[in-house]
Amino acid sequence: MTQPTLSGLSPAKRALREARLRGRSQAAPIAPRAGTGDAPLSHAQERLWFVDQMFPGSTVYNQLVPLRLPGALDQAALERALGEVVRRHDALRTTFREVNGVPVQVVAPFTGFALPVEDLSGDPPRERQEQVRARVARERAHVFDLSAGPLYRASLLRLDAGDHVLLVTMHHIVFDAWSLGVFLRELSVLYDAYREGWDSPLPPLPVQYADYAAWQRSQALAEEGHLAYWRRQLGGAPELLELPADRPRTPVPSFRGAQVPFEAPPGVLDRLHALANAQGATLHMVLLGAFQLLLARYAGTLDVSVGIAVAGRSRREIEGLIGIFVNTLVVRTDLSGDPTFRAVVDRVRETALDAYQHQEVPFERVVAELRPQRSLSHSALYQVAFLLDEVAPAAVGAGGLQAEAPPVGAGGLRLQPLGSEQPESTQLDLTLTLRPHARGLSGSLEYATDLFDEGTIRRMAGHLGRVLEQVAENADLRFSRVELLGGAERALVLEEWSRTGAGVPADRCIHELFEAQAARTPDVVAIEFEGDILSYGALNERANRLAHHLAGLGVGPETRVGICLERGPEMIVSALAVLKAGGAYVPLDPAYPAERLAFVLADAGISVLLTQESLRAALPVGDGIAVVSVDGERAGAAAESAGRPAGGAGSRSLAYVIYTSGSTGRPKGVAVEHGAAAAHLAGFARELEIGAADRVLHFASFGFDVAVEQLFLPLLAGAGLVLRGADLWSPEEWPQRVREAKVTIANLPPAYWREVAEAAGGSALPDLRLLIVGADAMPTEVVGRWRGGVESPARLVNAYGPTEAVIT
């Protein structure tokens, strides 16, 4: 773990931070605790203990160290050395139990250590390697029982007289990455001594881990100042970094993971070092800033929190102790104001320096203090981590001892990392590990396979390389100007994938395409609502009259007009009228809470609101918004011209703004232009072969994204639009309603469709030719239930869900 640069600080502050960061604290040393009874758990141990209670049998916190031992081996000396490490460090003899509902540490006395040995030397070479891989996999899959132990395992595989493999596995609750360095150093020293017939040359340990845990629990008052900082720093931070995933987040994660390699472009590392020096920062801060920039672009946010690890050994007496001391700091960076990357580095530097100064408080205490909304589906306060691994020989990453580490051993014992398969588990959504070396900068992106596909993360790795290359070349490049796409990917996304072949001229708008259809089929039924019908010609004329009325109120290109109406033809007339006047409509569901309505009205900058008399009094309308009751002012609108209004909107003009649910934070308004929406609708209509003979069900809420397709697809294709009423049809009555309305195309959310499939057994839907289910996968068992219980020629289409691009 890198440490922050101290240049530029006052002498007093530099001395304080240097003391903290280098583990030279002036605080009183930790003393051995009184008595030998059960000890409390440290905060880090308590967190892992609770995780084990929630996910029994999980191997996500297994720490495997596979080591190759080349050359002649003194097996007795190795066994004795391993045993002495266990004797010296109580953590390796610790288990956990509950006393009156409270977990405690139980340290077992040392009673000796036996090293299991398996001789594979009689097998053919290829089979030996397969056996080694199998043993490594078995160790990774070993389930530790925290209450019974042992939580430390070691075994030796003999490949031949001069080649052995040592497998050491611990649970993270008693071991961290720093502990590996302690373990390897002590093992090497002890092996050399025992091989020569000497006693252990290692001095006694001043304290044990249980002493540290008891001391940490006594620091509540001392931590208060640090907690005040973390309350200020992380208060109000987004609870979840919403990266675009390939699958929805599961309520309970499986912790399955994988990783993809990363290699920075040549020459980048030297330039990033130079930038760090110029800004008084560290390489860690520069790389963290670049990573947070990438995450911000992916997540569409300017407030990014990333977890970083610190050793947590700020006292001399625990530097040589095996146990879990590692702590997590959350670095929250504000990327607002379109800063240059140089400014981003400055922000990260200041935030990181302050975080390091307050690293004494355990992460678990920070979580308890802030009380974020807890969920089993994701970790609290951060879901993405960053690690810069600059410590070579004793470094341990997610996959064990790093492959570039040189052999460890002052004398006869040579410990080499064993090349092993990447881990199949992960604790977070995403973890970036980077390692500078003589050839440049490389690393890996570890990811949760519950959320992401390998291809998605490989693209992200490529985008990270692009970001590093650009900011290394020009640190004054602004956030908004950083390009994620390379030449080939840009051509694929912007050219190949954009060739819709839909035949939509680039200068056409949604309402213009509707007008062309209305001119072709003026007498055909456009809308049917609870027995009332409205033809294409009548719909176009009513929308024109209202559009003229809106234009008189100042509605034109880029004007946001709110529409808050009960379901009915006026809802569709109003949307078309806003587009014809040149404005952009913003749908508002009357059922929304007043707080959400007020937020959208203000956030969208709405200047005109279309509603109806029965709703007007209850709407939280502020000053500066002109309210038009479409029913109360119908006579005035009817007096307007039925001719086509001038409008003035073009294909690059805003067509509509739809707000996300805001279930994971503040709702976001997604703004879509005419050209993008028109191309999407034309392409979708072509793929689904929608025509004049179709009757399309408008089922979704007007404020939901799929309502755009359900509204405009039929009207641009000359089909009939069947609009359901305000009452949501029950799953039991849905088949009858669809049959009576002779609906040919329907689009349903997956949860509702599952209920319909349950309730529709024995139903006949002879007219339904196409059923679309969006937003999620279609479970095989539900498809079978539908096929077996509904008599219909309908083709099932799984549309999943649109991204925040065209239809939100």
Side-chain angles (χ1 to χ4, degrees), residues 35 72 140 181 191 198 205 207 298 336 351 365 424 457 500 562 571 585 597 706 794:
R140 288 195 192 283
Y191 175 85
W198 303 333
L205 294 168
V207 293
Y298 261 69
S336 63
T351 303
R365 287 274 286 129
E424 298 178 352
I457 303 303
T500 63
M571 181 178 76
Y585 75 87
L597 292 173
V706 77

Side-chain angles (χ1 to χ4, degrees), residues 585-602:
Y585 75 87
V586 182
L588 297 160
D589 192 324
Y592 285 159
E595 294 79 6
R596 178 180 171 92
L597 292 173
F599 169 80
V600 174
L601 287 169

Side-chain angles (χ1 to χ4, degrees), residues 463 466 469 483-495:
H463 294 160
R466 289 273 299 155
E469 189 173 36
E483 295 285 351
L484 301 188
L485 306 183
E489 188 177 11
R490 173 173 289 275
L492 177 65
V493 173
L494 301 185
E495 296 176 22

Side-chain angles (χ1 to χ4, degrees), residues 9-90:
L9 302 178
S10 67
K13 203 167 187 179
R14 183 184 304 119
L16 173 61
R17 287 186 173 170
E18 186 174 25
R20 288 182 182 277
L21 302 179
R22 295 183 179 178
R24 301 295 185 264
S25 175
Q26 302 302 311
I30 300 171
R33 63 193 178 97
T36 58
D38 298 337
L41 275 61
S42 69
H43 290 293
Q45 283 182 326
E46 185 175 62
R47 176 174 64 87
L48 295 187
W49 185 84
F50 277 121
V51 170
D52 187 74
Q53 300 300 300
M54 290 187 292
F55 303 102
S58 172
T59 61
V60 69
Y61 287 103
N62 283 14
Q63 307 281 300
L64 172 63
V65 184
L67 300 167
R68 193 156 213 135
L69 281 58
L73 179 68
D74 187 330
Q75 186 174 310
L78 177 63
E79 181 178 56
R80 187 180 175 193
L82 288 166
E84 176 61 11
V85 172
V86 175
R87 187 201 66 79
R88 284 172 54 79
H89 296 276
D90 286 2

